[in-house]
Amino acid sequence: MIVHAQQGETLDQLVWRHYGQTEGVVEMVLAANPGLAQLGPVLPHGHPVTLPDLAPPPAKRLVQLWD
């Protein structure tokens, strides 16, 4: 999927806007977009950024203190 940067948006903000998380995802986006880091901290308005598909997060184990 290709998403275009909004005015004054950083890569972290773009990733958070689309995925709702940044941990480990920003690195994946940088790997999918060679040369993106050379644009600087604020992305140019309208710059296309390819976003990779993420695997669903692993299910969390439910712990009950009392049965």
Side-chain angles (χ1 to χ4, degrees):
M1 168 186 285
I2 296 179
V3 175
H4 297 276
Q6 296 178 355
Q7 184 174 357
E9 191 169 44
T10 65
L11 182 58
D12 288 355
Q13 291 170 329
L14 185 143
V15 168
W16 180 262
R17 177 169 53 96
H18 183 73
Y19 292 115
Q21 67 180 30
T22 58
E23 184 179 350
V25 181
V26 173
E27 293 81 3
M28 291 173 52
V29 174
L30 285 170
N33 294 275
L36 187 62
Q38 283 74 30
L39 295 176
V42 177
L43 298 172
H45 177 72
H47 186 77
V49 178
T50 302
L51 298 178
D53 293 328
L54 291 182
K60 293 184 178 180
R61 191 171 152 230
L62 179 64
V63 176
Q64 294 181 344
L65 299 177
W66 296 275
D67 287 328

